[in-house]
Amino acid sequence: MVTTRSDLVAAARELAGELLGFDSERWRHTAGVAERAAELAPAVPADDLELLVAGAWLHDIGYASTLRVTGFHPLDGADGLRDRGWEPRLCALVAHHSGARFVAEDRGLGEELHRYAEERSALADALTYADQTVGPDGRRMAFEDRIVDMLRRHGPNSPNARVHPRRGPYLAAIAGRVRTRLAVDGAPPTGEVPS
Ligand SMILES: [Fe+2]
């Protein structure tokens, strides 16, 4: 049973490993996002850090075959967490990570996704920024390169490509806000050399 915030992170990591497989490429991406999220501590309220890292561990569990219902991983992941009794705020963060609503609406799943309240906060921004600065294999990527790589992998006829004129600026605005929060707090964004 999850009783403390540090238990929450450990339980999130364990569930992600069970569902994704501890030696899968998806696990390497997930572990990279969790590590990145922890580094974004200066960009979130201290009380939200554990929830951020737990969300990072769980954000892609919807790719697990055992959770697959709609085939849209943010929704399948959020539903899987909800069904297991995880806290509503965490379920909603998973549901809405990385601008999921744009793709959900394109795929006719907007109504289902919007059963989860979309949180607009430094925490939600940091989760998306962490996801969008770690590649599929777990390696760090610049935000801009990650977007280009995502569009190349999904292809020009994909929902991701179709919604990109709206989702792209939404994600870029998040990246801008997180970078500003990191800089304001005196820590230059990882991998970026201050001028
Ligand atoms: Fe991800």
Side-chain angles (χ1 to χ4, degrees):
M1 196 175 101
V2 175
T3 55
T4 70
R5 281 314 199 194
S6 51
D7 282 352
L8 179 74
V9 172
R13 181 185 185 280
E14 192 61 26
L15 180 60
E18 280 171 21
L19 288 168
L20 298 172
F22 287 100
D23 58 358
S24 64
E25 186 174 52
R26 191 76 65 190
W27 171 258
R28 288 190 285 281
H29 165 75
T30 294
V33 174
E35 185 179 88
R36 186 79 172 103
E39 293 171 4
L40 297 177
V44 298
D47 287 351
D48 282 347
L49 181 59
E50 280 84 5
L51 202 56
L52 168 63
V53 179
W57 280 115
L58 295 167
H59 79 283
D60 274 351
I61 60 166
Y63 280 115
S65 56
T66 48
L67 294 191
R68 187 183 173 87
V69 176
T70 68
F72 183 53
H73 80 275
L75 181 58
D76 289 344
D79 286 349
L81 288 173
R82 180 204 57 198
D83 294 348
R84 286 164 174 74
W86 288 68
E87 62 186 83
R89 193 176 173 201
L90 192 50
C91 299
L93 284 165
V94 168
H96 287 284
H97 79 270
S98 293
R101 67 181 157 93
F102 296 97
V103 179
E105 286 160 12
D106 183 81
R107 293 178 58 163
L109 294 167
E111 203 170 311
E112 286 190 63
L113 192 76
H114 287 298
R115 290 201 310 263
Y116 296 96
E118 184 176 6
E119 174 173 331
R120 304 201 178 196
S121 66
L123 164 57
D125 283 353
L127 178 58
T128 288
Y129 187 74
D131 188 25
Q132 295 304 320
T133 50
V134 174
D137 58 0
R139 269 181 288 190
R140 299 290 172 92
M141 297 182 79
F143 166 79
E144 290 77 7
D145 295 340
R146 170 88 157 116
I147 297 295
V148 169
D149 181 64
M150 176 273 294
L151 290 171
R152 180 189 56 74
R153 282 184 292 106
H154 286 266
N157 298 316
S158 64
N160 288 51
R162 274 197 301 276
V163 304
H164 191 65
R166 289 178 292 121
R167 182 176 178 237
Y170 169 89
L171 294 175
I174 288 173
R177 290 197 294 272
V178 173
R179 286 167 171 164
T180 298
R181 288 180 190 122
L182 291 173
V184 163
D185 281 42
T190 303
E192 295 176 30
V193 180
S195 54

